[in-house]
Amino acid sequence: MVNKIKDTTTEEKILEAARKVFIERGLDGARMQEIADKAGINKALLHYYFRSKEKLFEVIFKETAGNLFPKFEMILNSDKPLFHKIDEIVSNYIDLIIKNPYLPLFVLSEMNKSRNLQLANFFEMQRNKFVEKFVKNIEREIKRGVIKKISPAHLIINIFSLCAFPFIAKPVIGILLEIDDLQFKYMMEQRKKIVTDFIIASIKK
Amino acid sequence: MVNKIKDTTTEEKILEAARKVFIERGLDGARMQEIADKAGINKALLHYYFRSKEKLFEVIFKETAGNLFPKFEMILNSDKPLFHKIDEIVSNYIDLIIKNPYLPLFVLSEMNKSRNLQLANFFEMQRNKFVEKFVKNIEREIKRGVIKKISPAHLIINIFSLCAFPFIAKPVIGILLEIDDLQFKYMMEQRKKIVTDFIIASIKK
DNA sequence: ATTTAATTTAACCAATCAGTTAACAAAATT
DNA sequence: AATTTTGTTAACTGATTGGTTAAATTAAAT
């Protein structure tokens, strides 16, 4: 009875609803009944399709966490200058988070309390050659004298801190800077250029 | 029957236990029984002293969130150069988080799902003149030609992103950079200087 | 058409959890 | 010393919640 005619299959409806509820409330705060209601189905169907709350969460978490590590290797492999690559990574990453603002906090928050080692280990498999390649790119440009001597690990941390943190701190930023949601979104659009400039100004010789 | 002889009063034992449990598990994940066990007292005492789980959480949250906004106004009011002030703020803030690594994620995570507007509003009262003063400091130095033209709001966001984010992303950083807890702590110590240098290099003319 | 398999639901169940109660113990007050 | 107030506990309660079950419905296979 695989429904290929209906536009959304039951399983898809469940996943869509679960995504919303888990991201909004976290694993502990989420209620199976709310997921069922949002999906417009009977609660028993959640268990029919996904066995348990934990299993369903695992599916959503892996999917979501996977999105947090996009394929930037293509960018790093190109023969463009490092500054151009940083620009592309920063712009693409901020764009990605603008489209999914709750993604970083959800993933990092759940990773922190993850009793389930399974989930933590997921990243090790997920770990592509991205970091390794980024480190080599940076080291090469230091040797070539294009950028200052700086720890590649710290530089990478800096780049992603500048991209992701504002979204995690959004409620606090809103209050302290007295800005509304629209102004916040506008600021984040600006940051695509501002963060890139900030980084390059700091490391260029 | 105010116990001023025992080294720790019952209320303090409860707060200490609640702090640990709430920070580790969040509001939804925390269990009153676990708090009682950690405090070595009967569960009913929690309600005797703090009425409800939400009230107890509120006390812990306000206390914790308060720590996230230290009194940097003294630093900003001094007549030292801006670079020196940035150095002090960055060093002190990273030091603060090294001592309480779970503080930022706990506060930001709970603020995000805070159904309770009471808690969100807490920051508005808490909001001291810090941001305002920091903005003026930056604008002045731009006019004086000491630093480049840059949006003060974005610069402030950058500074705190660089300080706080690594602690929030600790589990991911650990896996991607293949470092253990000790190496992580060492890196964070390094960042007191690295982040300061990174910022100053970026904004100085 | 009939049988079989997959999907869906309402009702139910057992466990967990925040919160209460009533009795008891320890201090403080008189 | 007697009484009142404060602090503490074990046992209980009602509500919520993840999960199950058995019956019903729908689709697929024969």
Side-chain angles (χ1 to χ4, degrees):
Chain A
M1 190 186 161
V2 181
N3 192 334
K4 297 196 173 181
I5 295 164
K6 259 190 284 179
D7 41 342
T8 50
T9 178
T10 300
E11 200 173 325
E12 279 166 358
K13 281 193 290 185
I14 293 175
L15 287 172
E16 197 181 331
R19 212 174 290 128
K20 280 185 195 163
V21 174
F22 278 131
I23 287 178
E24 188 181 333
R25 310 209 186 273
L27 171 57
D28 291 324
R31 295 291 165 257
M32 293 298 263
Q33 190 59 60
E34 188 183 355
I35 295 174
D37 292 346
K38 269 213 169 58
I41 50 134
N42 187 282
K43 182 165 72 85
L45 271 187
L46 300 180
H47 295 95
Y48 179 79
Y49 279 96
F50 295 95
R51 279 248 318 275
S52 70
K53 187 186 184 185
E54 271 67 31
K55 292 279 178 198
L56 177 54
F57 176 80
E58 207 176 300
V59 172
I60 298 296
F61 180 84
K62 285 185 180 172
E63 172 203 288
T64 307
N67 290 336
L68 211 57
F69 295 91
K71 349 93 210 111
F72 284 149
E73 283 169 282
M74 209 182 51
I75 295 175
L76 290 174
N77 282 334
S78 89
D79 54 359
K80 297 267 174 64
L82 179 64
F83 292 165
H84 182 266
K85 291 175 183 175
I86 289 176
D87 185 11
E88 288 231 312
I89 289 173
V90 168
S91 298
N92 284 334
Y93 205 60
I94 291 180
D95 252 339
L96 172 80
I97 308 182
I98 285 175
K99 276 172 207 137
N100 315 277
Y102 296 111
L103 203 140
L105 185 55
F106 170 67
V107 173
L108 296 175
S109 178
E110 295 298 334
M111 278 207 72
N112 249 282
K113 46 189 154 202
S114 168
R115 301 123 243 192
N116 189 350
L117 291 187
Q118 195 69 39
L119 289 191
N121 289 343
F122 165 72
F123 276 88
E124 300 196 61
M125 310 182 320
Q126 184 73 14
R127 180 180 61 211
N128 39 36
K129 302 284 179 183
F130 168 70
V131 172
E132 201 181 316
K133 200 153 283 174
F134 207 165
V135 169
K136 276 181 187 153
N137 264 265
I138 293 166
E139 282 170 344
R140 192 198 318 134
E141 297 299 285
I142 291 175
K143 267 187 198 132
R144 283 187 50 217
V146 178
I147 64 173
K148 294 175 193 162
K149 194 165 177 302
I150 182 174
S151 151
H154 281 287
L155 177 54
I156 294 170
I157 291 175
N158 289 353
I159 291 172
F160 287 97
S161 298
L162 291 167
C163 291
F165 183 77
F167 295 89
I168 293 173
K170 181 184 167 188
V172 177
I173 290 175
I175 292 169
L176 293 182
L177 264 49
E178 300 181 84
I179 59 176
D180 61 29
D181 280 14
L182 200 69
Q183 291 173 292
F184 179 82
K185 213 198 152 194
Y186 180 67
M187 276 193 81
M188 294 307 111
E189 286 290 345
Q190 290 184 312
R191 282 184 74 78
K192 284 188 273 183
K193 176 159 174 37
I194 287 177
V195 168
T196 301
D197 292 348
F198 189 82
I199 295 165
I200 291 176
S202 183
I203 61 176
K204 84 158 166 237
K205 248 183 177 162
Chain B
M1 190 189 164
V2 181
N3 192 337
K4 297 195 172 181
I5 295 164
K6 261 189 285 180
D7 42 343
T8 50
T9 177
T10 300
E11 200 172 324
E12 280 167 356
K13 280 193 289 184
I14 292 175
L15 287 173
E16 197 181 331
R19 211 174 290 129
K20 279 184 195 163
V21 175
F22 278 131
I23 287 177
E24 187 181 333
R25 308 209 187 274
L27 171 57
D28 291 324
R31 295 290 166 257
M32 293 298 264
Q33 189 60 61
E34 189 183 354
I35 295 173
D37 291 347
K38 269 214 167 59
I41 51 133
N42 187 281
K43 182 165 72 82
L45 271 188
L46 301 180
H47 295 96
Y48 179 79
Y49 279 95
F50 295 96
R51 280 250 317 276
S52 69
K53 187 186 183 185
E54 271 66 31
K55 292 277 179 201
L56 177 54
F57 176 79
E58 208 176 298
V59 173
I60 298 296
F61 180 83
K62 285 184 179 173
E63 172 202 289
T64 308
N67 290 336
L68 211 57
F69 295 91
K71 349 96 215 105
F72 284 149
E73 284 169 282
M74 210 181 53
I75 296 175
L76 289 174
N77 281 333
S78 89
D79 54 358
K80 297 267 174 64
L82 179 64
F83 292 164
H84 182 266
K85 292 175 183 176
I86 290 176
D87 185 11
E88 288 231 312
I89 289 173
V90 167
S91 298
N92 284 335
Y93 205 59
I94 291 179
D95 253 338
L96 172 79
I97 309 182
I98 285 174
K99 276 172 207 137
N100 314 276
Y102 296 112
L103 202 140
L105 184 55
F106 170 67
V107 173
L108 296 175
S109 178
E110 295 298 335
M111 279 208 69
N112 250 282
K113 45 189 157 205
S114 167
R115 302 125 244 188
N116 190 349
L117 291 187
Q118 196 67 39
L119 289 191
N121 288 343
F122 165 71
F123 275 88
E124 300 196 60
M125 309 182 323
Q126 184 72 14
R127 178 180 62 211
N128 38 35
K129 302 286 180 182
F130 168 71
V131 172
E132 201 182 317
K133 199 154 282 175
F134 207 164
V135 169
K136 276 181 187 153
N137 264 266
I138 293 166
E139 281 171 346
R140 192 198 319 135
E141 297 300 284
I142 292 175
K143 268 188 198 132
R144 283 187 51 217
V146 178
I147 65 173
K148 294 176 193 163
K149 193 166 176 303
I150 183 175
S151 151
H154 281 288
L155 178 55
I156 294 170
I157 291 175
N158 289 354
I159 291 172
F160 287 96
S161 298
L162 291 166
C163 291
F165 184 78
F167 295 89
I168 293 174
K170 181 185 168 187
V172 177
I173 290 175
I175 293 169
L176 293 182
L177 263 50
E178 301 180 84
I179 58 176
D180 60 29
D181 280 13
L182 200 68
Q183 292 173 290
F184 179 82
K185 211 198 152 193
Y186 180 68
M187 278 193 79
M188 294 306 111
E189 286 288 346
Q190 289 184 311
R191 282 184 75 77
K192 284 188 273 183
K193 177 161 172 39
I194 286 178
V195 167
T196 301
D197 291 348
F198 189 82
I199 294 165
I200 291 175
S202 182
I203 61 175
K204 85 158 165 236
K205 248 182 178 163

